[in-house]
Amino acid sequence: MVFLINSTYKTNRYKLSLLDIVGVTPTGMTFLATFSYLEGECIKNVVWALKRFRGIFLKSDAIPQVIVIDRDSTLMNVVKTMFPESTNLLCRFHIDKNVKAKCKTLAGKKMHGTM
């Protein structure tokens, strides 16, 4: 089973972070596994949410095989700690977005002769 974990910071009217976890089955079906509104971006809140998520899996052989996350350093560190037996991957969308931004920056510098 593959799970995608994403956190959006303060984009709602209450200025709370939303941590959502979506699962993907072997047949490609997606489902919402859990979500949490978290106060602040501190590690203890993310740890609390991921402990609750891990508690869903009663047997150790049911732990997620793959977890996909964005480049949020807090989330990356907590996932490594909470799910050491899972393969952790970065989200392709976020990788593509960062590469495009970097290319635009480099292209802009080259056009302006600052490279």
Side-chain angles (χ1 to χ4, degrees):
M1 185 96 50
V2 175
F3 286 92
L4 299 104
I5 303 176
N6 189 35
S7 185
T8 56
Y9 293 110
K10 300 179 183 177
T11 57
N12 56 55
R13 67 196 274 192
Y14 303 108
K15 305 293 185 219
L16 296 173
S17 299
L18 172 64
L19 180 75
D20 60 318
I21 302 175
V22 176
V24 182
T25 68
T27 60
M29 302 266 309
T30 59
F31 62 94
L32 178 63
T34 185
F35 71 92
S36 303
Y37 284 106
L38 304 175
E39 187 175 349
E41 302 173 21
C42 65
I43 291 176
K44 71 177 185 168
N45 293 337
V46 177
V47 168
W48 175 86
L50 290 182
K51 277 185 180 177
R52 300 306 171 274
F53 174 61
R54 187 174 174 99
I56 293 171
F57 305 100
L58 300 176
K59 297 186 291 181
S60 61
D61 61 340
I63 297 296
Q65 295 171 335
V66 177
I67 297 177
V68 181
I69 54 177
D70 61 6
R71 200 169 165 229
D72 177 345
S73 60
T74 300
L75 191 54
M76 288 170 66
N77 292 331
V78 174
V79 166
K80 283 181 195 174
T81 304
M82 297 294 301
F83 297 94
E85 57 280 286
S86 300
T87 300
N88 301 315
L89 302 174
L90 292 176
C91 173
R92 182 177 171 187
F93 170 80
H94 289 94
I95 292 171
D96 289 345
K97 185 177 165 183
N98 290 337
V99 168
K100 287 176 185 176
K102 185 68 171 176
C103 288
K104 282 183 183 179
T105 302
L106 292 175
K109 287 181 181 180
K110 190 172 184 178
M111 288 183 75
H112 295 297
T114 58
M115 230 176 149

